[in-house]
Amino acid sequence: MDLFIEDKDVLFPQVFSHLDAVQAQPETVLLDEELLRRAERSLDASTPKNLLWQLLATGEKLLQDLQQEPRPLTRLLERNVSLLPFDELKTTISTEKLEEGLTSPSISVQLLCLAYLRKAADSPSGATFVAASSSLVQCLFTIWLSSESTEVAERSLEGIEALLAVDSHTSVTVLASKDRLDEAQGQGLLWRRVFTDPDVYSILFEWTSLRSSKRDVKTKKGLQSVTISQARLFDFIARMANYNWAAISTSSLPAIEAKFIVESGHSQPFGGLLRYAASHMVDQSDILMEVLRQNFFMELLGTIEATGAQSVPPRLLEAIQQEAGVSSEKAGEDAGLRL
């Protein structure tokens, strides 16, 4: 079967004519989903930049007035955004505009904003742009933990991980300029924002705690929502273990953590987000959450095996092994050790 290749010189004038017609009558002229999908499939690295910018400007303008489900259009714009350098994109969209989109009642608009933020993860400078705004990072983490849309939550976490990965001190990104290749190292600014900004760090607890929650845990729906957020936090911590053990296992803001952790009186060489999630977050009578908890420890062990145990303190490693149900040489010496 021959692959049909669109004639862009024919297709995109049709697209712009259609978008102009919708702009003229946004309440009555419906988006042509098939036409916009064809346009989406036709966009690639060879698409002229001036066409990409014209399409982005036209689509963003139309979004302001559209009176119908915008998914056919936002899906096209997501593809468009993925083909433009973020250093240029950031001059056209403010952090305030991204926050407005993330908090929009429209899932389609949220996904478009997440596409911008995912594009920011192409370079350390993009991560720095995001990290510079506490309120933007708060919006991103809130939508990830609180959204009822699985797609929004998954895309949010993908973006968060990509941004933190490129921002890691151990990360070096190769950047292509016109006539050469350059290298850029992560600055760690987003890591500091997440783990040392009280307004951001507290979000990780407020949406996942049964003790002090933003949701009404006395209702079935509220409780179910919290357990979904807890599973998302388990996933986040397991992923972050690939990049920075110290960040997830060291207490960075004790005053925040104290609101959600019930002290046992025992001194422990580890703490922070890992301690909260491991021992103070879930209802241990909830069989499903206990299974997820054990799987979480298995993921942590997998990360240790893949990256090496040198950066993990011996007692922490032993505790993870025990919680995962994996025997270790010292398991009998300190069988009661818990995170």
Side-chain angles (χ1 to χ4, degrees):
M1 181 178 171
D2 294 333
L3 180 65
F4 176 71
I5 300 177
E6 292 273 8
D7 184 341
K8 295 180 182 179
D9 292 334
V10 174
L11 175 62
F12 282 97
Q14 294 175 353
V15 171
F16 285 116
S17 176
H18 170 62
L19 294 180
D20 287 343
V22 178
Q23 181 73 65
Q25 295 180 289
E27 296 182 4
T28 57
V29 179
L30 298 179
L31 291 169
D32 186 334
E33 186 168 359
E34 176 57 28
L35 177 63
L36 298 184
R37 274 201 176 276
R38 286 167 53 202
E40 178 189 347
R41 289 193 295 266
S42 298
L43 294 178
D44 55 34
S46 68
T47 304
K49 253 191 179 182
N50 63 333
L51 175 59
L52 293 173
W53 283 114
Q54 182 185 358
L55 184 58
L56 184 62
T58 302
E60 288 281 8
K61 183 175 184 295
L62 177 55
L63 274 179
Q64 311 289 325
D65 304 313
L66 203 59
Q67 303 295 314
Q68 56 189 281
E69 169 53 50
R71 191 68 187 126
L73 176 59
T74 57
R75 192 165 43 227
L76 172 60
L77 295 181
E78 286 174 36
R79 175 62 178 159
N80 196 2
V81 165
S82 73
L83 296 169
L84 290 167
F86 187 75
D87 280 346
E88 296 177 25
L89 281 171
K90 69 183 182 183
T91 65
T92 68
I93 189 163
S94 65
T95 56
E96 292 79 14
K97 193 70 176 175
L98 289 170
E99 291 171 35
E100 181 183 332
L102 288 176
T103 56
S104 165
S106 168
I107 289 177
S108 299
V109 173
Q110 292 175 2
L111 291 171
L112 176 57
C113 289
L114 289 171
Y116 276 98
L117 293 174
R118 179 62 184 82
K119 189 62 183 178
D122 280 0
S123 69
S125 64
T128 298
F129 169 86
V130 175
S133 172
S134 174
S135 56
L136 176 58
V137 179
Q138 289 174 52
C139 283
L140 177 57
F141 274 77
T142 297
I143 193 177
W144 158 54
L145 284 172
S146 66
S147 178
E148 295 183 2
S149 165
T150 301
E151 185 177 10
V152 168
E154 289 177 350
R155 292 267 211 99
S156 298
L157 183 55
E158 288 170 6
I160 289 169
E161 180 179 13
L163 285 164
L164 287 169
V166 79
D167 186 55
S168 171
H169 284 301
T170 60
S171 170
V172 176
T173 304
V174 177
L175 304 173
S177 58
K178 291 183 179 179
D179 54 357
R180 64 177 183 176
L181 295 178
D182 294 317
E183 291 186 346
Q185 187 170 8
Q187 300 299 304
L189 298 177
L190 186 58
W191 285 90
R192 288 203 288 276
R193 174 68 73 189
V194 173
F195 289 95
T196 64
D197 182 336
D199 292 329
V200 176
Y201 192 57
S202 60
I203 291 171
L204 300 173
F205 299 83
E206 291 169 346
W207 290 100
T208 60
S209 173
L210 293 170
R211 183 184 181 193
S212 178
S213 177
K214 279 187 171 290
R215 296 188 172 98
D216 184 1
V217 295
K218 294 180 180 179
T219 66
K220 183 177 180 180
K221 182 179 180 180
L223 188 58
Q224 288 176 337
S225 297
V226 170
T227 57
I228 290 171
S229 299
Q230 290 173 345
R232 292 173 184 174
L233 186 61
F234 275 144
D235 192 12
F236 170 76
I237 297 172
R239 295 188 189 205
M240 293 307 101
N242 284 292
Y243 309 102
N244 192 331
W245 271 100
I248 62 172
S249 63
T250 303
S251 178
S252 57
L253 291 170
I256 298 294
E257 296 161 7
K259 299 177 184 178
F260 304 92
I261 293 177
V262 180
E263 290 294 343
S264 62
H266 299 295
S267 176
Q268 298 183 358
F270 37 77
L273 199 57
L274 178 57
R275 182 182 174 203
Y276 162 71
S279 298
H280 300 271
M281 182 174 74
V282 304
D283 177 1
Q284 295 185 8
S285 67
D286 186 326
I287 297 176
L288 176 59
M289 292 310 298
E290 277 297 292
V291 170
L292 287 175
R293 180 175 174 275
Q294 186 171 24
N295 289 342
F296 163 64
F297 285 110
M298 291 299 295
E299 288 186 46
L300 292 180
L301 280 181
T303 298
I304 293 171
E305 291 174 1
T307 60
Q310 292 82 2
S311 61
V312 182
R315 289 191 67 207
L316 176 56
L317 174 58
E318 183 184 352
I320 291 173
Q321 289 173 326
Q322 290 181 22
E323 296 290 0
V326 177
S327 62
S328 66
E329 292 182 0
K330 293 185 178 181
E333 297 177 15
D334 196 356
L337 179 62
R338 290 181 66 87
L339 290 175

